[in-house]
Amino acid sequence: MGPGNDTSISEFILMGLSEEPELQSLIFGLFLSMYLITVLGNLLIILAVSSNSHLHTPMYFFLSNLSLVDICFPSTTVPNMLWNIQTQSKVITYAGCITQVYFFILFAGLDIFLLTVMAYDRFVAICHPLHYTVIMSPRLCGLLVLVCWIMSVLNSLLQTLMVLLLSFCTELEIPHFFCELKQVVQLACSDTFLNNIVMYFVTVLLVGGPLAGILYSYSKIVSCIHGMSSAQGKYKAFSTCVSHLSVVSLFYGTILGEYLSSAVTRSSHSSGTASVMYTVITPMLNPFIYSLRSKDIKRALKRFFGMAGGKGTIILR
C-alpha cells in the first residue's frame, strides 16, 4: 500500500493487447522474437564501439549509450508481459506496477535526451568542424550524458511519487500490456488534477523542448550544408545525419501516432497497440538503421566477429 491510499491495494490487472486466447501464442512468439532481436542488435552496437578504438568518438559514444537505453527500455515491459502470457496471469503487484512506471519514464526520457544530444553533436561536427574535437571533449560528452541521466531520474521520481499519493478504488484493470502512467492515474479515486497538470507540463517541456532543440540543430545543419560549394562535401555531411534523422523521425513519429490514435478512436486498446511502436519496434530497428548506414559500424562488426572466429580456431586446435 502506497502513502495516501485509503484502500489497501496489492495488485493491478493488465488486460494486455488482446483478450483472445487463440492470439496469446502468436503475441508471445512475436514479442519474444522482437525482444531478443532488440537486445542482440543493440548489444552488438555496444560491443562494436567498445572493441574498436577508431569508434571512440563522441558520435559513437552517444550511440553506445543510446543502445544501452534501447536494451533497458523494452526490458521494463516486455519480460513481464511474456511472463504473464506464459503463466496465463494478468496480475502485477502494486509495487511491481509502480516500479514499472518509474523505469519506463526513466528510459523513455533518456531516449529523448540522448537523441537531442546526438543532434547537437551533428550540428557541431558539420557547422564547426575545425573546433569539433575541442568543443566535444570527453569531459563535455560525459557531462552531457550525466545531465541526461539526472534529468530523467528527477522527472521519473517526481511522476512516480505523485502516483504514490493517489487513492485507488476497486476497479483496477489497466487496458494495456504494461503500467502506463496515464492509465494508472485514470484508475485513481482521488483528485488527479495536479497529476494531470504535471503530466502534461512535463510532456510539453521534456518532449517538446528536446524536439525543438533537434529541429533547431537541423535547421542550422541544413543552412551549413546549403552553404557548401562542393557537391561531394554536401553529400558527405548529410550522410552523417541520415541515421540519426531516421531514428528521430521513427521515435517521434510513433509517439505522435499513439497520441493521434488515442485522440481519434478513444480506445485504450488502440493506444496500447500504437505504443508498441515506440516501446518495442523503435528500439529493435535502431541497430539496423545505424549498422546499415554506417560503414564504420559494419567494419567494426566484421573485425569483431573476425577476432572472435580467430580465437575460436585457436582453441579448437
Side-chain angles (χ1 to χ4, degrees):
M1 186 177 77
N5 284 25
D6 298 327
T7 308
S8 179
I9 301 300
S10 60
E11 59 189 31
F12 290 95
I13 307 296
L14 294 173
M15 301 308 293
L17 292 173
S18 174
E19 296 181 38
E20 299 294 330
E22 58 271 17
L23 291 178
Q24 299 308 305
S25 296
L26 176 63
I27 293 172
F28 181 86
L30 190 62
F31 273 78
L32 178 61
S33 301
M34 289 193 295
Y35 180 66
L36 292 176
I37 292 170
T38 301
V39 172
L40 180 61
N42 283 289
L43 192 59
L44 285 175
I45 295 289
I46 295 170
L47 290 172
V49 173
S50 61
S51 64
N52 194 323
S53 59
H54 295 294
L55 298 184
H56 294 175
T57 62
M59 181 175 73
Y60 291 111
F61 170 70
F62 295 132
L63 176 58
S64 60
N65 276 273
L66 181 68
S67 294
L68 176 62
V69 171
D70 281 341
I71 291 173
C72 297
F73 191 25
S75 296
T76 62
T77 58
V78 177
N80 182 74
M81 175 194 183
L82 297 175
W83 174 259
N84 284 355
I85 293 174
Q86 186 66 23
T87 58
Q88 298 183 350
S89 170
K90 297 181 179 181
V91 172
I92 183 170
T93 63
Y94 177 82
C97 188
I98 297 300
T99 302
Q100 196 173 68
V101 167
Y102 175 81
F103 283 106
F104 183 84
I105 297 172
L106 172 66
F107 292 120
L110 275 170
D111 236 330
I112 292 169
F113 294 140
L114 284 172
L115 287 174
T116 308
V117 168
M118 292 171 79
Y120 175 71
D121 172 70
R122 291 298 84 208
F123 158 71
V124 176
I126 292 170
C127 298
H128 304 282
L130 297 178
H131 302 96
Y132 178 69
T133 54
V134 176
I135 297 172
M136 300 304 294
S137 64
R139 183 184 177 187
L140 179 63
C141 292
L143 188 61
L144 286 171
V145 171
L146 179 62
V147 169
C148 290
W149 273 95
I150 291 172
M151 291 178 66
S152 299
V153 167
L154 290 177
N155 171 47
S156 186
L157 196 60
L158 171 65
Q159 302 266 27
T160 308
L161 288 175
M162 292 193 68
V163 173
L164 287 172
L165 297 174
L166 296 174
S167 301
F168 293 93
C169 304
T170 54
E171 184 63 38
L172 299 173
E173 291 185 352
I174 300 174
H176 221 303
F177 68 95
F178 66 96
C179 289
E180 198 263 337
L181 177 64
K182 187 179 178 181
Q183 299 288 348
V184 174
V185 170
Q186 286 177 350
L187 294 178
C189 293
S190 54
D191 183 24
T192 60
F193 177 76
L194 186 58
N195 292 75
N196 290 324
I197 290 295
V198 171
M199 203 187 308
Y200 291 122
F201 176 76
V202 167
T203 300
V204 171
L205 186 66
L206 300 185
V207 177
L211 179 59
I214 291 171
L215 293 175
Y216 177 78
S217 294
Y218 274 103
S219 68
K220 291 293 184 181
I221 287 170
V222 169
S223 178
C224 290
I225 291 175
H226 183 71
M228 293 178 181
S229 56
S230 167
Q232 187 178 359
K234 288 181 179 180
Y235 173 77
K236 187 177 179 181
F238 182 73
S239 64
T240 63
C241 301
V242 171
S243 296
H244 177 259
L245 199 55
S246 301
V247 171
V248 169
S249 302
L250 186 62
F251 186 78
Y252 275 97
T254 51
I255 290 177
L256 180 62
E258 187 205 8
Y259 174 77
L260 293 176
S261 173
S262 59
V264 172
T265 63
R266 298 289 179 183
S267 169
S268 298
H269 282 288
S270 297
S271 175
T273 304
S275 68
V276 171
M277 287 298 294
Y278 75 88
T279 57
V280 182
I281 295 178
T282 300
M284 180 185 70
L285 293 179
N286 285 356
F288 292 99
I289 293 171
Y290 277 102
S291 60
L292 289 174
R293 291 293 312 176
S294 173
K295 292 179 181 178
D296 293 331
I297 291 289
K298 286 180 183 178
R299 280 196 295 265
L301 286 172
K302 286 179 181 178
R303 186 177 177 183
F304 176 77
F305 283 116
M307 288 171 62
K311 289 179 181 178
T313 305
I314 293 169
I315 292 169
L316 287 172
R317 286 176 183 174

